[in-house]
Amino acid sequence: MSEAGADLLEQISVCGSLSGAARRLGFSYRRAWMLVDAMNRRWPAPLVTTAVGGEHGGGARVTELGERALRSFRDLQVQLEHLLGEAGEGFERGTRTPSR
């Protein structure tokens, strides 16, 4: 999953539609559709399901697997940012010149 894919899943959850999520992110509908299609193909089950418009309108929904994948991705991001922050602090300490 990419950052754009994670953002798209979050917005689909909020909007309940692929077109609404795409608009919020400044993506074309085609880009959003291609991201969803690519994510759904890479996982053993779909991360997003869609319904074609009709009497009650269409929509998109993030599946339970999609929600779990999104949480795992965001958790990994936080852990990585923490590790990079620690590494950066160590680097800064090692490169400071002593005060006179």
Side-chain angles (χ1 to χ4, degrees):
M1 181 177 306
S2 65
E3 179 74 24
D7 292 344
L8 184 58
L9 289 181
E10 287 175 340
Q11 290 305 313
I12 290 170
S13 290
V14 170
C15 296
S17 81
L18 186 58
S19 59
R23 267 192 306 277
R24 283 180 157 218
L25 294 168
F27 293 175
S28 69
Y29 182 82
R30 177 173 163 68
R31 178 180 180 197
W33 176 253
M34 291 179 74
L35 268 170
V36 166
D37 185 55
M39 287 187 291
N40 281 347
R41 290 175 185 266
R42 288 186 185 116
W43 289 80
L47 302 185
V48 175
T49 58
T50 58
V52 177
E55 185 178 324
H56 300 289
R61 183 181 71 79
V62 178
T63 65
E64 185 179 325
L65 177 60
E67 293 287 348
R68 287 195 323 258
L70 178 59
R71 276 193 309 272
S72 294
F73 182 82
R74 293 300 190 206
D75 287 347
L76 284 171
Q77 278 185 313
V78 168
Q79 291 174 25
L80 181 59
E81 287 172 7
H82 178 74
L83 288 171
L84 290 173
E86 286 181 347
E89 289 170 9
F91 178 76
E92 288 173 3
R93 280 193 300 270
T95 59
R96 287 188 189 143
T97 56
S99 302
R100 295 180 195 206

